[in-house]
Amino acid sequence: MAYTSSLHLSKHLLLPKAHRGRHPSSRSPSFVPAARVNGAPHVNGKASKSPNGKVQINGGDGKKSGAVNGRGKKVPPGVLNGKTHHVNGGHDRIHLSVSTGPGGQDGTGLRVAYQGAPGAYSEFAAKTALPGCETVPCRAFADALAAVDRGVVDRAILPVESTMEGTALRNYDLLLRHDLVVAQEINLFVHYCLLAMPGVRAAEVRRVISHPMALAHCGRALERLGVDRQPVEDTAGAVEMLRSNMMLDTAAIASPRAADLYGLDVLAHGLQDESWNVTRFLLLSRPPSPVELPADADAKTSMVVAHRGGSMAVVLKVLSAFSSRGINMSKLEIINNEGAGGAGELRPPVMILDTGARGAPTLRSFPHVLYVDCEGAADDPLVRDAIKEIEKFAVFVRILGCYAADTNVYDLQ
């Protein structure tokens, strides 16, 4: 059984300008000035027919209530007529701001590996965190991490948790198998759009393709559309497939930036079932961390604590080690893989690379693992003392990284 703390994310967003036509995937996003969005009141409305016969997924009767696009211009709500409309609105007043990123580093000269095809959310997260970097697509997450190990790239970016799926992405397990450290974090608002070939209308769409998680996140909207669903490897791969095969009866779920990159039409914005859908990404590098934290930076330390028995007792001791020193924890996830799971299925132990082992680093297996994020740098006296206390009762402790905490949420719309 796994328990995951909720993400504590603020709503400061960055909105890149929309670029029509194709552009290289390594292009740095530009940003519009700060603006305020008054969310439309049509959140997950019922399907209906508009007077012109077009389908309205969410948004009621198409009267004056409207969403606001990236330029602050009102558009009609929720009608799929080949224009870019919002499917799910929101009531929050979201403050948009422009930032230079943690530490003011733009990543010029760095190569960052990501999983997926050009236009993937991971690529845009990397370009938002490090606008000057060169992005390198990889077939699988493991390939991206291996590229860092081999020195082919400087960083790899991994999605590790989301507000809709928790840590179902399970990329922490991959991280534990490599001698890599967390150098940076970034939170990206995942805004799903329905994309189609130019000129294709929503009424002509019979099938929608995308990553299985994207299809699941947009389940209610797809049900209202009445289309077949086909999972593929990733969202950008779906767009690439759509474009290369000239599929005129098929749409893809992907980001608005992918529409610009591949020259597709956006039939609907905000296809996700939940209006607040944020994914946290980690940028990884070879140790030691190449990012020097400013003296006044808000730091975060990530670690893994492994043990072999007495799970609840260890959890309480870990909590005590931090709370007794007034240290806040922003994440605590408990993995218990001892014994059988559901339907009698055996759950494999968690494999962790022991980078401090004598000789070559060695993979070790543990049935119980705690993922912990705490506020403060690893060399802070209080944090250091807490870690030393944990090391006295835990079988194994490994610091995954110390990096600048970035509570901003960045948007691609």
Side-chain angles (χ1 to χ4, degrees), residues 336-341 344-348 367-368:
N336 291 326
N337 282 357
E338 190 172 55
E345 180 183 358
L346 291 177
R347 295 174 299 206
H368 306 291

Side-chain angles (χ1 to χ4, degrees), residues 111-316:
R111 289 166 55 83
V112 180
Y114 68 95
Q115 185 275 331
Y121 285 98
S122 291
E123 182 188 26
F124 291 132
K127 293 298 295 181
T128 304
L130 300 168
C133 74
E134 175 189 353
T135 51
V136 180
C138 296
R139 179 69 180 268
F141 291 115
D143 297 332
L145 296 183
V148 184
D149 274 337
R150 298 194 307 269
V152 177
V153 298
D154 304 285
R155 305 275 198 282
I157 187 165
L158 287 183
V160 292
E161 56 192 313
S162 77
T163 52
M164 291 187 68
E165 294 291 333
T167 51
L169 299 167
R170 291 268 48 91
N171 281 331
Y172 275 109
D173 291 352
L174 277 177
L175 167 58
L176 298 184
R177 294 170 177 261
H178 294 263
D179 186 12
L180 302 175
V181 295
V182 181
Q184 191 175 341
E185 70 173 347
I186 182 168
N187 300 296
L188 186 70
F189 182 80
V190 177
H191 182 89
Y192 288 123
C193 297
L194 191 66
L195 312 182
M197 292 293 294
V200 172
R201 296 176 300 170
E204 299 171 325
V205 174
R206 298 290 178 266
R207 178 179 58 167
V208 173
I209 58 177
S210 194
H211 187 276
M213 190 171 292
L215 293 173
H217 287 178
C218 304
R220 290 199 295 267
L222 294 179
E223 185 176 350
R224 294 185 188 101
L225 277 174
V227 294
D228 294 330
R229 311 172 197 183
Q230 179 180 329
V232 295
E233 287 187 349
D234 58 84
T235 55
V239 174
E240 192 175 52
M241 182 188 305
L242 189 71
R243 185 76 196 189
S244 60
N245 294 320
M246 302 291 289
M247 303 165 74
L248 301 181
D249 64 344
T250 303
I253 296 176
S255 72
R257 284 293 204 170
D260 293 335
L261 182 64
Y262 290 91
L264 298 178
D265 286 347
V266 179
L267 300 184
H269 275 292
L271 211 65
Q272 61 270 11
D273 293 338
E274 302 295 335
S275 59
W276 189 243
N277 182 21
V278 178
T279 296
R280 181 185 180 217
F281 295 82
L282 298 179
L283 285 102
L284 312 172
S285 70
R286 293 180 298 278
S289 176
V291 180
E292 184 176 347
L293 291 177
D296 59 346
D298 291 330
K300 181 183 289 187
T301 298
S302 294
M303 67 189 76
V304 59
V305 179
H307 56 103
R308 301 194 184 280
S311 177
M312 186 53 64
V314 173
V315 172
L316 294 175

Side-chain angles (χ1 to χ4, degrees), residues 57-81:
I57 294 182
N58 302 300
D61 57 7
K63 293 181 181 180
K64 292 184 179 180
S65 62
V68 179
N69 62 17
R71 292 170 300 206
K73 180 180 178 182
K74 283 196 173 184
V75 295
V79 181
L80 298 181
N81 57 2

